Amino acid sequence: MGSNPEQRNKTRFKHVSPVTYEDLERGIYAASKMYNYSVGGLYFESDLELQSGERIFIGIENSPYAKESGIYECYHALIKWRKELDHSIYRYGYGIQYCDPSQDSDKQSDA
């Protein structure tokens, strides 16, 4: 069995693009930067201190998932991990996993 130090199931692709962290409940809207993505999530850097396990909305300018270039898309995601950065203009790096939209609709209908 091969070693997988990053514990990833999906291949990452390099894609640098502005992203926006959105917390509508607290009224926080902050610019950040995405550096890579996979089918199930992405890595971004930000000055905001967010917590592992927190659910967020992340907007991606020039989304790599869109069928056309230059498209802005927004995703509901779970913060899987955070690390402090030493060699970046940002303070923190985050790995996020996209939430299953069907789970979100189930929670709304149960409320």
Side-chain angles (χ1 to χ4, degrees):
M1 185 190 294
S3 173
N4 184 3
E6 294 183 343
Q7 300 176 355
R8 295 185 186 281
N9 296 329
K10 311 286 185 203
T11 302
R12 289 189 301 169
F13 301 97
K14 190 173 196 170
H15 183 85
V16 178
S17 181
V19 295
T20 305
Y21 163 79
E22 301 173 11
D23 184 335
L24 304 176
E25 204 171 278
R26 294 187 286 180
I28 299 171
Y29 182 86
S32 304
K33 189 172 274 191
M34 167 181 146
Y35 289 94
N36 63 59
Y37 72 99
S38 69
V39 171
L42 63 85
Y43 170 77
F44 77 99
E45 295 181 359
S46 176
D47 286 327
L48 289 172
E49 184 176 358
L50 307 170
Q51 303 302 316
S52 294
E54 189 174 338
R55 289 181 179 254
I56 66 168
F57 286 96
I58 193 94
I60 307 170
E61 291 181 35
N62 193 24
S63 173
Y65 304 107
K67 293 179 182 177
E68 299 176 28
S69 65
I71 302 295
Y72 177 88
E73 295 184 318
C74 189
Y75 293 91
H76 193 199
L78 175 70
I79 296 178
K80 297 296 283 184
W81 53 265
R82 176 188 76 207
K83 66 179 179 180
E84 287 197 44
L85 303 173
D86 293 328
H87 300 86
S88 174
I89 62 168
Y90 296 103
R91 188 168 176 201
Y92 300 103
Y94 294 96
I96 64 171
Q97 177 181 16
Y98 300 124
C99 296
D100 182 350
S102 65
Q103 292 176 345
D104 290 340
S105 62
D106 290 346
K107 287 180 184 173
Q108 289 174 357
S109 64
D110 290 344

